[in-house]
Structure formats: structure tokens, C-alpha cells
Amino acid sequence: MSFYSCRVIVVNALFRAAGGDQRYALSPVPKRDKNNLQPRIGFNWNPRLNDGGVLGLFTGGDKLVVRGGYARTNDYAFINIALNVASSFPFVAAINLSPTPDAGGITNAFTRLPTVQPSGLNPLLLTRTIVADDFRSPIAEQFSLEVQRELTRDAVLRVGYIGTKGTALYQTIDGNPRLPFSTTRVDPTRGVIRLRANAASSIYHSMQISFDKRLSRGFSGGAHYTWSAFIDDASEIFNPSSGEVAVAQDSFNRRADRARSSYDRPHRFTGNFVYELPFFRQQKGFAGHLLGGWQVNAFFTFQSGAPFTVLNGADPTGALSGIDALVGNAIRPNLNTSLDLSSMSVEEIIRAGGAALFRRLGPNERVGNVGRNTLRADGIGNVDFGIFKNTRIRENQRLQFRAEMYNLTNTRNFGIPDGRVNSANFLNQWGTDGGNRRIVLGLRYVF
């Protein structure tokens, strides 16, 4: 029995205890998701062309392989979604009590608690977290096409395309928003509703290039580059980072939030190598034991920074009033410059004016025109390096010395900065932990 089914049983008992009052019912209750079809298909083709022409040169005779495939899969529902439902009405009722002076003249809301009568409460006005009546597993469709060419006996080059399309993705929605420039909600008989629904979609395209050299003559290595674009309506059902709030700033125009995903990294270049130094490998004599058995290795990563959203820091018309207490406020400011901020680094934006490049909303402005995820934090550059020394003692015994250096260049890789334009720390990425170089030394006896 699922967690959600158990909760339905509990709330049905509460519903019966309330005399069948529909206001105490858990609604909606989605049906079981039973129609997830997950086909997978793929192919491998090794064309053999030995005609000596251009095609023969391209394929190398039988050294070229073409691969492709399609897969459709479904994601799981997070347990936190059910936990959020279980922490709101009708399982939990949170009531605000206005304080009144007690007998000692001290303001204390607890003096009112014994006087609260259930008959005086309207359950429909209590904050709820619900899932849509058609809540189901999201769909991910992946397409791939790759060409692999053997360059030498131990070296392979791969060039490919990988794309992913996300459909019916989870999204957090203000289920009963305020009407524009009003304190009245769409359904005035209901309170705040945090709705989780399959309302978002995404698309990912990438070109991926890989070069791998298999181990020979004591050396192996590889290099991998990805050039990609990732666009979605919402990157997560929960806040995906400190730079994005998981709700649209305009509940009546959620499509306006379609933009670069919080997980978009247009460029990523990684590589690694392991090299066993060629001298004194047999470790004969004193000089062989001293100078032989050395090995060096490295791993590096360079990638684009994470996108993040500029936030207004205030909600002048209360467009997200109520839901903001549950997920945060996603209202954005207006742009106050003609500069293309999306192509500028954080340092360049600060030098160009920082917060002055954005205009905070006035009392009669509901939402801003700055797009979602239009700025990008600094990228990541990291190099790890290691030196190993294996000293042979007996046939099955050796002493290993390890020196491992993480972030060899001591490069500070900052996180996503504060995106609220009314904050004193706006764009202060240096306030995040940028990391530091770490050196680990070890000695191990292997037998």
C-alpha cells in the first residue's frame, strides 16, 4: 500500500468523524497511474567500405560504427510531495489567533486557544497542499545518434547528438491565486492552495564529442565536450536553487516563465589521464625501487555557470500572497538597461551598474519584465592531480605512497549569488563558499 493510499484511509476516518462534511474531505484523489508505456529501440550499424574512395577513407574499412536509439521512460513521484499533502489540512490545521491581553496584562495568543470552537472555523479557508486529479508519472523521451570511429588500435573518437523531451513534468502552481490588482482569490470561498500538477515541459539538445585512448604503454586518457541547450517551464517542483523560486511569477501567464533551465550548462569540457612513468618498471636494485613505480593522474572539469533569476524582493500588489509563505516569492523587477545581461558575467554586470540595471516594481505594478533565469553565475574550473608511488617489497606485497591534490590550481568556484535587487548582498557571489585546494597524503601497505 502506498504512502498516499494510507493517508486517504486516515482522512476518510476524519471525514466520517466530521459527519460526512465535504469540507473535511481530501480532494482531489488521483487514480492509480497504470498506463505507462516505456518502449526502447536502438540500432548499431558497421558499414564496411573498402573501395579506397572518400567513403572508404571515412569509414576506415570496418572501423566506423553508427548507433542510434529512442527510449521513453517515466519518473517517480517524490515522497516529499505526499509529505507536503500530509502536513496541511485536512491532516493538519494551522490557525492564526490574534493575541489578547491575559489576566496579567500580557499579550498572549494561547489565552484564546481554549475558546476556539471547531464550529466557528471554515475548513475551506485553511491552507491546503493538493495534487491534481490527473496527477501521474512524468514522461521523458530520449533520442540519440552517434558516430564512432576507431582512429588507431587503442584510440576512439565519438561524435553524437542526444536530445531529451520532458512532458507532463511536475510543477508547483498557485492553485487559488489572487485576481490581478485585487485581494479576492479566483475562488473566494477557498483559501490558499498549493497545487502540484503535471503542468511543465522541457527540451534538451546536445552535441557530444568524446576521445578515448585505451591503456597502452602505461598511458590511458580521455577528453569529453558537450555543447547543449536546456529549456523548460519549471526546473523543479521544489526550489531548485537559491536563484529560483518554484512557482511562476504570474499565475495567469505561466508560459512567460519558459526559459533556460536551472540545470542548463551550455559548455562542459572534462578530461582525465593516467600515466605510469616508463623508467625502472621492474624495480630492480636500489635505484629501481627508488625511481620506479611512479604514476601520475589527473581529472579536470570546465563548465558554464548556473542560470539564476533576478527577484524583486517584494510583491507590491500581493500577486503571490499566501503561496509565497510556502514556496517563496517569484516576483521579478523591470529591466532598466539596454545591455544584453544574459551574455555578461557577474563581475561585468556589477561594473555596469549592478542593482541599478533593474527597476523595482511600483505600487501599481504587478509583475516585472525581467525573464526567468536570465543571469548566469560564474563557471566551474577544477583540476585534480595525483602522484602515486608503488614500491615492490615481495612478489605479492607492495608499499603505496599517495599524494592527491584536489583543486590543484586553488581556483575559487563560487555558487549562485543572492538575486534579490533589494538585498545588500545582491550579486555578491564572493559571499558563497568558493572552495580551496586540498592535499591528501597517504601510505598503504598492500599484501
Side-chain angles (χ1 to χ4, degrees), residues 108-393:
N108 190 343
F110 283 100
T111 59
R112 288 204 56 209
L113 191 58
T115 68
V116 175
Q117 298 295 324
S119 59
L121 298 176
N122 184 354
L124 293 180
L125 296 179
L126 297 177
T127 298
R128 297 184 183 228
T129 296
I130 64 173
V131 296
D133 55 1
D134 63 344
F135 193 74
R136 59 200 186 278
S137 297
I139 300 168
E141 297 176 276
Q142 187 174 87
F143 314 85
S144 65
L145 180 65
E146 179 188 86
V147 176
Q148 174 183 309
R149 174 67 155 83
E150 181 183 303
L151 302 179
T152 65
R153 185 178 62 180
D154 53 19
V156 175
L157 176 68
R158 297 182 179 90
V159 180
Y161 160 81
I162 292 180
T164 302
K165 181 179 183 297
T167 306
L169 304 180
Y170 293 142
Q171 184 175 12
T172 296
I173 298 172
D174 189 347
N176 192 24
R178 282 187 176 185
L179 294 170
F181 303 100
S182 173
T183 58
T184 302
R185 299 191 178 277
V186 171
D187 183 353
T189 67
R190 305 293 295 268
V192 177
I193 298 176
R194 175 169 55 178
L195 172 65
R196 265 63 191 269
N198 300 83
S201 63
S202 68
I203 189 71
Y204 171 81
H205 299 287
S206 70
M207 178 188 72
Q208 302 185 6
I209 303 174
S210 297
F211 173 80
D212 290 290
K213 183 187 180 304
R214 294 184 287 270
L215 180 64
S216 64
R217 298 182 181 180
F219 180 83
S220 68
H224 314 277
Y225 172 70
T226 299
W227 178 34
S228 64
F230 193 177
I231 295 173
D232 60 25
D233 304 306
S235 301
E236 254 281 12
I237 193 171
F238 306 107
N239 294 347
S241 72
S242 60
E244 183 179 351
V245 178
V247 68
Q249 75 157 346
D250 189 350
S251 302
F252 301 96
N253 185 19
R254 298 200 311 271
R255 187 70 179 180
D257 270 31
R258 190 166 182 83
R260 291 279 183 168
S261 170
S262 295
Y263 305 114
D264 177 63
R265 306 293 187 273
H267 303 281
R268 177 175 172 84
F269 180 49
T270 65
N272 64 87
F273 74 84
V274 177
Y275 182 43
E276 182 181 346
L277 301 185
F279 43 79
F280 296 102
R281 288 183 176 175
Q282 300 302 318
Q283 297 190 20
K284 294 181 179 180
F286 176 77
H289 279 76
L290 179 65
L291 302 176
W294 288 95
Q295 174 186 301
V296 295
N297 60 71
F299 181 86
F300 62 84
T301 300
F302 301 98
Q303 76 174 25
S304 304
F308 66 97
T309 303
V310 178
L311 301 173
N312 192 59
D315 189 353
T317 67
L320 296 177
S321 178
I323 194 72
D324 57 356
L326 300 175
V327 297
N329 198 287
I331 299 297
R332 305 190 286 267
N334 286 316
L335 200 59
N336 195 34
T337 179
S338 60
L339 296 173
D340 181 11
L341 301 182
S342 62
S343 64
M344 298 170 63
S345 67
V346 170
E347 295 91 335
E348 291 171 335
I349 294 173
I350 291 175
R351 288 196 297 268
L357 302 177
F358 307 91
R359 181 177 60 79
R360 295 176 59 188
L361 301 184
N364 296 318
E365 293 179 290
R366 185 167 170 270
V367 297
N369 61 16
V370 172
R372 167 177 162 260
N373 281 343
T374 51
L375 300 191
R376 192 176 293 274
D378 281 358
I380 291 176
N382 184 75
V383 178
D384 298 330
F385 186 77
I387 302 175
F388 294 178
K389 170 71 167 75
N390 291 294
T391 303
R392 187 179 305 161
I393 299 176

Side-chain angles (χ1 to χ4, degrees), residues 294 387-393 398-404 440-447:
W294 288 95
I387 302 175
F388 294 178
K389 170 71 167 75
N390 291 294
T391 303
R392 187 179 305 161
I393 299 176
R398 70 180 189 272
L399 190 66
Q400 184 183 78
F401 167 75
R402 305 167 65 98
E404 297 171 290
V440 179
L441 303 178
L443 189 64
R444 185 170 68 172
Y445 177 61
V446 182
F447 61 93

Side-chain angles (χ1 to χ4, degrees), residues 49 51-60:
L49 299 174
D51 58 3
V54 176
L55 289 178
L57 180 64
F58 177 69
T59 62

Side-chain angles (χ1 to χ4, degrees), residues 3-15 23-29 81-94 123 126-131:
F3 177 90
Y4 204 85
S5 298
C6 291
R7 287 290 170 176
V8 171
I9 292 173
V10 172
V11 84
N12 283 342
L14 297 174
F15 174 64
R23 298 177 302 171
Y24 290 87
L26 176 63
S27 178
V29 178
I81 300 174
L83 290 173
N84 288 162
V85 174
S87 63
S88 67
F89 192 83
F91 304 103
V92 176
L126 297 177
T127 298
R128 297 184 183 228
T129 296
I130 64 173
V131 296

Side-chain angles (χ1 to χ4, degrees), residues 400-411:
Q400 184 183 78
F401 167 75
R402 305 167 65 98
E404 297 171 290
M405 288 156 274
Y406 301 96
N407 192 7
L408 174 68
T409 58
N410 201 28
T411 301

Side-chain angles (χ1 to χ4, degrees), residues 97-113:
L97 298 177
S98 57
T100 57
D102 62 13
I106 301 175
T107 300
N108 190 343
F110 283 100
T111 59
R112 288 204 56 209
L113 191 58

